[in-house]
Amino acid sequence: MICNTKYSNLRALFLIFSICLFFSSCKKDIYGCIDLNADNYDSDATINDKSCIYTNLTLNFDNLVDGSAIIYGNNNFLFHNVNGTNYSVSKIKYVISDLKLYFQNDEIVQFDEIIFFNSDNNETSSYIFNNLPGLCIGMEFRFGLSAENNIDLLYINEDYNFHDLMDWPNSFGQSTSSVNQLGGYHYMQVDGRYIDDQGQQKGYSLHTGPTNGQDFSILYPKFDFPPSAEITLVMNINNWYDNPIHDIKPSIMDDIQTQTNLFENANNVFSIITQY
Amino acid sequence: MKKKIYFFTTIFILIHSCDKYEPKCMPGCTDPLACNFNINAQEDDGSCVYSDEWPCNYQPTSNVIVEPVLGFPLPNNSFENPLTEAGINLGRHLFYDPILSSDNTVSCASCHKQEYAFGDKTQFSPGVGGVLSNRNTPAMLNLIFHEQSFDWDGKSISLESQASRPIFNQHELNNSDWCEVISRLSNSPFYQDLFCAAFGVEKIDSSHVLNALAQFERTINSTNSKFDQFLRGQYTLSMSESNGLSIYNSEKGDCFHCHPLYLTTDNQFRNNGIDSVFTDLGRFNITNNINDRGLFKTPTLRNIEYSAPYMHDGRFNTIDEVIEHYNSGGFDSPTVDPLMKYIYTNPYNIPNERGLYLTDQEKSDLKAFLLTLSDESFITNPNLSNPFNQ
């Protein structure tokens, strides 16, 4: 039938084709919100008119060593700390809690959730806060869990198996008249290998948590940033070692001196990036 | 007018000529209630086969709730497949009955034996025709407390879906399709009554078989070991057991990171350094992720006394061999867990020595603690035994 098509039909086709071309080429500028992350994203809009409305915040986790991305693996001895010790990073897990978000309109929203990052599980690489009052301009959080939120068996059915993976047995704690912090859950686990004094590969577990009855969790002062719907919390592994200087050890879970060193090193470990 | 018809016909042909590049509709049985239901079928071809029907006068039985247990995650009392007395009873009969195998010779319980903590005492277990399994039969218990993944490689994500894997595995029950399984069951007046009592049905489909098996499996729970009694203040650990617990729960033995108390499994997949070269890629077979090569699911240590041999391939016959494996440091490979810290060194910087360097006393204490995870009331629980022997 195509072969029988009359000349006039071809003319009609050409006309329609021309009309289509005319309309698409003359598409006018349409003002609206052109950010995919915004609630009122307008797929037709071509020019951003600053009308975007945000009620979500995406919190991404990223871990670096002095600015270098981590290529996870036992044998990737890509990094060295302030002591010159060569090491690799195989896995990173950590938990943050007591979160507060600050907003442009002076509102502050608190969260009871504990947020667990696990480098083995891509689903934990970002966390989305919903139903917020607008763009976020500040965040406060605790690294780890406060003593009152860090009690054995407090968490038994958490997302991503937090309760199983971060178990910190009571035997590492202490309960006396002056201190009362037993076990509960790790704040952090960084596992990998390093080259020891004798040039041999040795595994290390940079694991932090309550030790000898002391709560070593860290409530950070507020991080301020430009109004954002997406932020990235960046941890620099090397900053756990540089001030005061101490070196990698295989096992530190009952090592009060190392836990203290790590606690004192904590203030410059984290930063927040908004443009990534 | 005629021109217009030509014009639209042309457009129509132009559009529809593209059809030939689309995949053809796959014919098959699209009814999930039929025994030959084909999940990939897109167009029903009238081939559906259904089980025979029988009269059913349904009398609902009581729901059964598995109670929370101190130290354990909350049990998954499934809403989709609630446990009932009759459902559990049916599942228990199916579990112990060779009727589920292609030649009526092998049942689930042929490999998952109660006296061995629902594992098997041999390295590999024979299925239909004596064909041996590729992996060691894992002990199965407390599954209701960690319903995330099942099998050594985590192939199944629910107990209901897990139950169909061995039914069609050539090394196990060796059926070729659901129709043969359902035909054997629906021809049995005994099972007609049990399916009617459990689900109020007048014919069987595969979901009834799987749901019943899953219901029984959710009752295979061990929560009354010496260690559980210790937690409840009903048992005092001996000096050796107590020292063993300290080794288990510290970085000296470093058992707890992967076998956290009280469940004793973290439900993760790990390479515990038993090989430098893999003969079985384990979790990789499911995910195709190179980081998963040689990883297997962390097994429970509960009732480890009864569940020998150990590891996915049953290579170790005794608990002592297992402890010695970890004590020796293990073997390096690209995916070995970083918690295997002493593959080349040891904690005390002794030259040319590797591994945890536990003393004989420490190894014996650790074993003494592991034996407190034995639950005699579990392996003798009459509710879990073979119902055909009663």
Side-chain angles (χ1 to χ4, degrees):
Chain A
M1 256 187 227
I2 294 173
C3 304
N4 291 339
T5 310
K6 294 280 193 274
Y7 186 62
S8 58
N9 293 343
L10 283 176
R11 243 183 0 204
L13 268 174
F14 181 70
L15 184 66
I16 290 171
F17 179 72
S18 307
I19 291 168
C20 292
L21 201 66
F22 174 77
F23 272 100
S24 59
S25 62
C26 296
K27 192 177 177 185
K28 285 192 175 169
D29 291 335
I30 300 172
Y31 289 84
C33 172
I34 61 167
D35 186 346
L36 273 167
N37 294 320
D39 286 0
N40 59 336
Y41 166 68
D42 182 350
S43 59
D44 294 329
T46 55
I47 294 184
N48 201 0
D49 62 356
K50 298 184 178 174
S51 68
C52 294
I53 299 165
Y54 299 89
T55 54
N56 293 342
L57 173 72
T58 303
L59 169 64
N60 301 310
F61 293 90
D62 197 14
N63 302 289
L64 304 174
V65 179
D66 293 340
S68 301
I70 290 171
I71 301 164
Y72 293 95
N74 293 334
N75 294 314
N76 298 336
F77 290 96
L78 302 170
F79 313 115
H80 56 88
N81 64 14
V82 66
N83 302 288
T85 303
N86 284 312
Y87 68 97
S88 67
V89 178
S90 308
K91 293 164 188 272
I92 297 178
K93 304 180 187 77
Y94 70 91
V95 63
I96 60 173
S97 62
D98 292 342
L99 236 95
K100 273 188 200 168
L101 296 178
Y102 294 76
F103 296 90
Q104 279 179 302
N105 62 357
D106 294 338
E107 269 193 70
I108 303 169
V109 181
Q110 292 193 44
F111 296 87
D112 294 331
E113 290 91 340
I114 59 171
I115 300 175
F116 176 44
F117 169 79
N118 178 0
S119 62
D120 280 346
N121 186 341
N122 285 337
E123 289 177 48
T124 67
S125 65
S126 61
Y127 185 92
I128 297 172
F129 299 91
N130 294 309
N131 300 321
L132 302 178
L135 285 173
C136 195
I137 56 165
M139 182 172 99
E140 203 176 288
F141 71 95
R142 180 186 296 277
F143 170 73
L145 303 164
S146 66
E148 62 176 353
N149 288 323
N150 204 3
I151 298 162
D152 191 30
L153 303 183
L154 188 62
Y155 308 101
I156 54 174
N157 282 83
E158 297 299 311
D159 290 342
Y160 314 120
N161 269 30
F162 165 81
H163 50 288
D164 286 330
L165 285 169
M166 298 297 268
D167 179 39
W168 182 273
N170 279 342
S171 43
F172 291 107
Q174 204 175 4
S175 185
T176 65
S177 53
S178 56
V179 290
N180 182 22
Q181 166 85 60
L182 288 167
Y185 302 87
H186 289 73
Y187 310 143
M188 175 174 76
Q189 298 179 6
V190 179
D191 292 288
R193 289 187 190 171
Y194 70 107
I195 306 294
D196 73 4
D197 298 344
Q198 275 120 46
Q200 298 269 30
Q201 288 188 29
K202 197 179 265 183
Y204 71 85
S205 295
L206 177 64
H207 290 197
T208 67
T211 307
N212 280 13
Q214 259 179 275
D215 174 5
F216 281 114
S217 69
I218 297 150
L219 185 61
Y220 280 95
K222 183 178 149 204
F223 289 81
D224 293 309
F225 41 83
S228 303
E230 181 163 5
I231 59 174
T232 302
L233 182 62
V234 181
M235 176 166 74
N236 181 3
I237 307 287
N238 265 352
N239 286 351
W240 287 113
Y241 296 109
D242 58 3
N243 182 28
I245 292 173
H246 66 121
D247 209 353
I248 298 176
K249 290 180 185 174
S251 303
I252 59 167
M253 284 181 68
D254 53 0
D255 179 344
I256 187 74
Q257 184 56 52
T258 301
Q259 295 289 337
T260 307
N261 286 339
L262 290 163
F263 181 79
E264 290 173 357
N265 262 295
N267 54 25
N268 63 348
V269 167
F270 288 99
S271 55
I272 285 182
I273 293 179
T274 51
Q275 297 291 327
Y276 212 61
Chain B
M1 188 63 199
K2 202 178 174 187
K3 279 182 184 172
K4 266 190 182 169
I5 290 169
Y6 273 130
F7 175 71
F8 283 113
T9 313
T10 308
I11 300 285
F12 184 81
I13 289 169
L14 277 171
I15 293 168
H16 279 257
S17 58
C18 301
D19 272 8
K20 65 183 172 193
Y21 298 110
E22 289 174 7
K24 282 182 180 164
C25 290
M26 169 142 171
C29 170
T30 58
D31 184 355
L33 300 179
C35 67
N36 59 338
F37 167 61
N38 182 349
I39 198 162
N40 297 316
Q42 294 159 313
E43 195 176 320
D44 200 286
D45 60 358
S47 68
C48 290
V49 179
Y50 298 90
S51 122
D52 295 340
E53 291 193 26
W54 58 83
C56 170
N57 179 20
Y58 182 45
Q59 304 286 334
T61 54
S62 309
N63 276 22
V64 175
I65 301 288
V66 175
E67 298 293 333
V69 180
L70 176 69
F72 283 63
L74 292 175
N76 171 31
N77 284 297
S78 166
F79 291 111
E80 292 82 26
N81 181 22
L83 271 59
T84 61
E85 283 177 7
I88 294 165
N89 183 48
L90 167 60
R92 182 177 168 199
H93 281 86
L94 290 172
F95 189 88
Y96 279 95
D97 196 336
I99 195 170
L100 281 190
S101 65
S102 60
D103 64 353
N104 284 291
T105 58
V106 181
S107 70
C108 305
S110 301
C111 305
H112 293 285
K113 299 177 176 125
Q114 185 181 14
E115 67 261 47
Y116 306 125
F118 289 91
D120 205 353
K121 67 174 175 181
T122 56
Q123 184 173 22
F124 302 112
S125 307
V128 167
V131 180
L132 289 178
S133 59
N134 290 326
R135 293 178 182 151
N136 180 249
T137 305
M140 49 180 282
L141 51 96
N142 295 346
L143 304 178
I144 193 171
F145 298 104
H146 54 105
E147 291 210 17
Q148 296 169 7
S149 60
F150 301 98
D151 302 325
W152 280 108
D153 54 16
K155 185 174 186 181
S156 312
I157 56 166
S158 73
L159 275 177
E160 281 81 357
S161 69
Q162 196 285 332
S164 70
R165 194 195 51 76
I167 291 177
F168 300 109
N169 189 317
Q170 292 178 348
H171 300 262
E172 298 178 57
L173 305 181
N174 192 37
N175 295 286
S176 50
D177 59 45
W178 270 116
C179 290
E180 61 166 300
V181 178
I182 286 170
S183 141
R184 287 195 298 273
L185 291 170
S186 58
N187 286 333
S188 151
F190 176 72
Y191 276 108
Q192 290 175 3
D193 289 347
L194 289 189
F195 276 95
C196 169
F199 300 112
V201 290
E202 295 169 332
K203 58 181 178 183
I204 307 172
D205 68 58
S206 58
S207 72
H208 300 128
V209 178
L210 299 176
N211 284 356
L213 283 166
Q215 285 193 34
F216 174 61
E217 286 165 8
R218 290 195 175 103
T219 68
I220 303 181
N221 296 323
S222 168
T223 58
N224 193 31
S225 65
K226 268 189 199 171
F227 179 67
D228 295 299
Q229 292 166 19
F230 161 71
L231 292 177
R232 298 194 294 260
Q234 298 160 346
Y235 174 77
T236 307
L237 294 180
S238 72
M239 186 62 88
S240 176
E241 289 164 351
S242 179
N243 290 340
L245 171 57
S246 298
I247 294 164
Y248 183 102
N249 248 355
S250 69
E251 289 180 277
K252 199 174 187 67
D254 210 352
C255 312
F256 71 98
H257 275 118
C258 308
H259 299 281
L261 297 170
Y262 307 113
L263 208 52
T264 70
T265 168
D266 63 356
N267 286 302
Q268 304 296 300
F269 301 89
R270 297 185 185 258
N271 171 352
N272 63 348
I274 51 176
D275 288 310
S276 51
V277 178
F278 310 128
T279 49
D280 182 344
L281 294 176
R283 182 68 177 157
F284 172 84
N285 293 332
I286 308 303
T287 63
N288 269 317
N289 179 344
I290 56 164
N291 298 321
D292 286 338
R293 287 151 68 106
L295 273 62
F296 293 90
K297 187 170 177 181
T298 307
T300 179
L301 300 186
R302 285 181 171 271
N303 297 296
I304 188 173
E305 180 179 5
Y306 310 123
S307 62
Y310 309 106
M311 305 295 143
H312 70 275
D313 55 4
R315 69 176 64 190
F316 297 135
N317 287 313
T318 64
I319 296 174
D320 300 291
E321 286 175 58
V322 177
I323 293 175
E324 203 47 59
H325 160 67
Y326 289 109
N327 191 50
S328 72
F331 296 98
D332 203 0
S333 65
T335 59
V336 71
D337 201 282
L339 290 167
M340 298 297 292
K341 290 190 279 209
Y342 300 111
I343 291 173
Y344 298 104
T345 51
N346 61 76
Y348 309 105
N349 295 322
I350 303 163
N352 305 320
E353 293 286 350
R354 59 192 209 98
L356 295 174
Y357 228 74
L358 298 177
T359 64
D360 287 346
Q361 185 61 50
E362 286 166 338
K363 285 186 255 184
S364 137
D365 290 346
L366 181 56
K367 183 179 174 184
F369 170 69
L370 292 173
L371 295 180
T372 70
L373 297 169
S374 300
D375 179 355
E376 207 183 323
S377 70
F378 169 66
I379 60 160
T380 56
N381 183 345
N383 296 324
L384 304 178
S385 65
N386 186 343
F388 297 104
N389 290 347
Q390 287 180 333

